[in-house]
Amino acid sequence: MRYIGRFAPSPTGPLHAGSLVAALASWLDARAHKGQWLVRIEDVDTPRCVPGADQRILQQLAACGLVPDAAVMYQSQRGDAYQAALDGLIAKGWAYPCGCSRKEIEDAQALLGHTRERHQAAIYPGTCRDGLHGKVARAWRLNVQRVIDDLKLATPLTWQDRLLGPQQQDVAQEVGDFVLKRADGLWAYQLAVVVDDAAQGITHIVRGADLSDNTARQIVLQHALGLPTPSYLHTPLVLGENGEKLSKQNGATALDLSNPLAELNTAAALLNLPPESGSVTDALTHWVKTYEKSM
Ligand code: GLU
């Protein structure tokens, strides 16, 4: 079977226990399938990127025995590919400019009686879908319903997660016309990730469960751009002190590279793999064998 997997960290800081789970799971899945494992540095959101974090992440991965099989891709160098994708969507009538400020979107939502869930972007009410109404273009959005109608995609969209099982989402209703290029001129994660997964020939995506909610949007974009849909597996999350996903804000510290095996054992436990002693290389070899049996 053809298998190309990837780990796609954002260089907003060094790897911590949570990000190592996704890295190890994606590496093991690739090795167990006799596939390739790539690393892509997702540095499109430049204000959130920390200088040097990319090198630190690559060193941390190497210390844990996780070395990519090809050159590392940097999203900051991929602007032309993202622009070409956006141009293609505009040409099909599937992307439109939006002149709304965040405040305007929230006010329109309030008028419709919609409240915003914690951590969720407001569902865009579609104000600029039929034109800018004299406003200045700020961002570019995908006309989700038009893509669904033109391509006769199912509503709700359904897909299979290899770990979480059958999934579904009504992207037009639950997410709305999401952003492709942001008002500040930066490329949106959704567009960049879909364009790059296809460019790198990714067949299998293994990543943290906090990203699961993005999958339907990415599948819609894959259809709109005529790109294949990879298979998806979302790994369990490491929780921080406050019971939420481990992050820098709730106590995540950089991996302790004086003892990479201890860090790997913590990540492996979350993936239901037995503790290993000895060298990092031996531990990884044993885990690949255990993982293969569980497939
Ligand atoms: N760069 C994203 C993050 O670190 C992950 C993207 C992905 O795996 O799809 O949250």
Side-chain angles (χ1 to χ4, degrees), residues 8 22 78 94 96 126 149 195 209 250 270 276-277 280:
R78 302 270 305 144
W94 292 340
Y96 62 88
D149 290 345
V195 168
N250 65 9
L270 208 78
E276 294 288 345
S277 52
V280 162

Side-chain angles (χ1 to χ4, degrees), residues 6 8-10 40 42 189 193 197 205 207 210-211 218:
R6 49 63 157 190
S10 304
R40 181 171 70 234
E42 301 216 314
Y189 157 65
V193 82
D197 280 333
I205 291 178
R207 60 185 178 189
D210 56 317
L211 292 163
Q218 294 171 14

